[in-house]
Amino acid sequence: MSEPTASAPKAAELAALARTLDAADDLAPVRERFVLDDVVYLDGNSLGALPAHVPDRMADVVRRQWGELRIRSWAESGWWTAPERIGDRIAPLVGAAPGQIVAGDSTSVNVFKALVAATRMAGEGRTEILVDATTFPTDGYIAESAARLTGCTLRAVPPQEVPSALGDRTAVVLLNHVDYRTGRLHDLPSLTAAIHASGALAVWDLCHSAGALPVGLDEHGVDLAVGCTYKYLNGGPGSPAYLYVRRELQPRFDSPLPGWNSHQDPFGMSPSYAPAPGALRGRVGTPDILSMLALEAALEVWDGVSVAAVRAKSLALTDFFLRCVSEYSGPGRVQCLTPDSHAERGSQVALRCADAGEVMKRLIARGVVGDFRHPDVLRFGFTPLYTGFGDTERAARILGEELAR
């Protein structure tokens, strides 16, 4: 292996700076709330780390609530109200007042509910759906299906071109808050305002922003939003997603998936459907109680933590990582796809290199876990609740060593 590109004094300087930054980090104690090891885990933008108290909580759910109380737990253990209770727990993390978020189903299912319901609310003559051209593929698949179902046309548009693409036929626009490949943060306030000015509705996918940065759903008048909980919210693999329905729209929200759990009288077993009031009409069938309660327990790591503090640390971590990568990696070896501007950056750094897949395999073998996106992108997700500056320096240093091979 050739020598790392950074000099020994420069490496020592960066390592010392990392120690200083960690010592001054007010969020550093939160790391102790997670199950972690010596691995530098930079894949929390795919699956968050396990909160340390969740296993004991789930042991009680399984052994006592299910094992002893059994069906009584729907009432006595609060199983029945879990979707809205957990929704209210997520609400402050995305800037929403209580009563507007219901947890349950997958992100894909909730995208479908939101898009079809928004199209039904859009009004006469609104027959076009716009979708983020850089979206995560599933969102595009669901949008195509929703368009076929509702008789709308579908048009893929880059987020920056949405204002000029809007028209009097636009019913709804589906956008990602943060691009999953590049980590680019899109301008939710201005894009939502432009969508509303055209008379259309805005649906935002928050999978890569919730728990990493302020969202401001209520503040910016977002109509509907969806998101997963297994990334920055650390809810566990396959943990339930959530659906946000702005309070003013709730009486008009017409779900394409009405189920007995969203009926105004779920135990009346009526042959005709009458939707429950409020965000509850976003429910469908029986909730996945085990994963739901694991998520509820996981969200306790946010006690005493402000999203503003998380955002400040996220930007500091990604700034430091980019500085370290610049020092440790040879010129031209990688290309940064993530915007330099804080206003346009989420909580990940995406680097392009020709042999990205092999590089990531070698990084993982050396205890630095990020991920690879076809064909040539290295993704590093920074979760401020448990990622430190020492982790960040180590990851960039090992990356530099591997790129120099």
Side-chain angles (χ1 to χ4, degrees), residues 32-113:
E32 299 174 3
R33 302 179 188 179
F34 293 88
V35 176
L36 296 165
D37 49 27
D38 291 335
V39 167
V40 178
Y41 188 65
L42 299 180
D43 211 2
N45 55 329
S46 285
L47 177 64
L50 171 67
H53 65 282
V54 169
D56 286 344
R57 186 71 57 81
M58 292 310 296
D60 175 72
V61 170
V62 172
R63 292 173 182 160
R64 184 182 63 84
Q65 296 183 27
W66 180 16
E68 297 176 16
L69 295 178
R70 293 177 288 274
I71 200 167
R72 291 163 53 194
S73 275
W74 284 104
E76 295 180 29
S77 300
W79 290 1
W80 183 260
T81 58
E84 57 266 36
R85 186 175 70 243
I86 296 169
D88 284 348
R89 190 69 186 256
I90 294 169
L93 303 180
V94 293
Q100 299 176 100
I101 295 180
V102 62
D105 303 313
S106 67
T107 306
S108 301
V109 171
N110 285 324
V111 168
F112 180 75
K113 293 180 206 170

Side-chain angles (χ1 to χ4, degrees), residues 5 13 19 21 36 58 65 90 104 143 205 225 238 244 257 316 319 331:
T5 55
E13 176 188 334
R19 289 191 293 271
L21 292 170
L36 296 165
M58 292 310 296
Q65 296 183 27
I90 294 169
D205 183 331
Y244 165 89
L257 296 173
D319 278 345

Side-chain angles (χ1 to χ4, degrees), residues 3-27:
E3 290 298 315
T5 55
S7 65
K10 177 59 70 173
E13 176 188 334
L14 291 172
L17 177 56
R19 289 191 293 271
T20 299
L21 292 170
D22 278 329
D25 176 19
D26 290 338
L27 290 178

